[in-house]
Amino acid sequence: VQLQASGGGLVQTGGSLRLSCVASGIIFSINPMGWYRQAPGKQRELVARALSGGATDYVDSVKGRFTISRDNAKNAMYLQMNNLKPDDTAVYYCNGFIISSDDPEGHFYWGQGTQVTVSS
């Protein structure tokens, strides 16, 4: 099982980016799925999380600007980030509790991280 994140880049303040994360392997379920970020010198923090039933939650600093979504048929998750600010600069990681043919008990898996840089 692997999580592959993509979509990061350099954007100006007020710009937008869309992150994607896809799980590979014979996947039975992924719940929950979430996006974390880690800025230089700071601890990794949860940015947004999505449950299979549709519930979502966000860290206060991104509410109203970021939207998490998932496509269960594609084992994929997305993070639409609008009105980006310099404080959003970080490496973004996807994470999910995955039950698969290779791991029937399930574990949390991390993607490799994608850099988001917001210039002022």
Side-chain angles (χ1 to χ4, degrees):
V1 173
Q2 285 189 328
L3 287 175
Q4 183 71 36
S6 62
L10 173 63
V11 65
Q12 292 184 334
T13 296
S16 298
L17 285 172
R18 185 175 187 248
L19 305 184
S20 299
C21 178
V22 180
S24 61
I26 301 175
I27 308 296
F28 299 143
S29 69
I30 309 176
N31 191 43
M33 295 184 77
W35 288 97
Y36 290 72
R37 66 186 179 187
Q38 187 166 19
K42 295 187 177 181
Q43 289 187 331
R44 190 173 297 188
E45 66 169 351
L46 175 65
V47 177
R49 186 174 54 178
L51 303 179
S52 59
T56 59
D57 60 68
Y58 300 87
V59 66
D60 285 347
S61 60
V62 308
K63 286 180 180 178
R65 300 188 297 122
F66 290 12
T67 302
I68 189 171
S69 60
R70 55 187 296 165
D71 184 336
N72 293 327
K74 297 181 179 179
N75 295 320
M77 173 178 64
Y78 310 97
L79 186 67
Q80 178 66 43
M81 305 185 295
N82 298 327
N83 191 21
L84 283 160
K85 304 176 180 180
D87 283 349
D88 296 318
T89 296
V91 178
Y92 284 70
Y93 299 90
C94 56
N95 173 272
F97 187 85
I98 302 175
I99 298 175
S100 68
S101 61
D102 292 333
D103 185 5
E105 292 185 352
H107 287 86
F108 281 101
Y109 291 83
W110 290 95
Q112 84 283 12
T114 183
Q115 176 70 47
V116 172
T117 303
V118 184
S119 63
S120 58

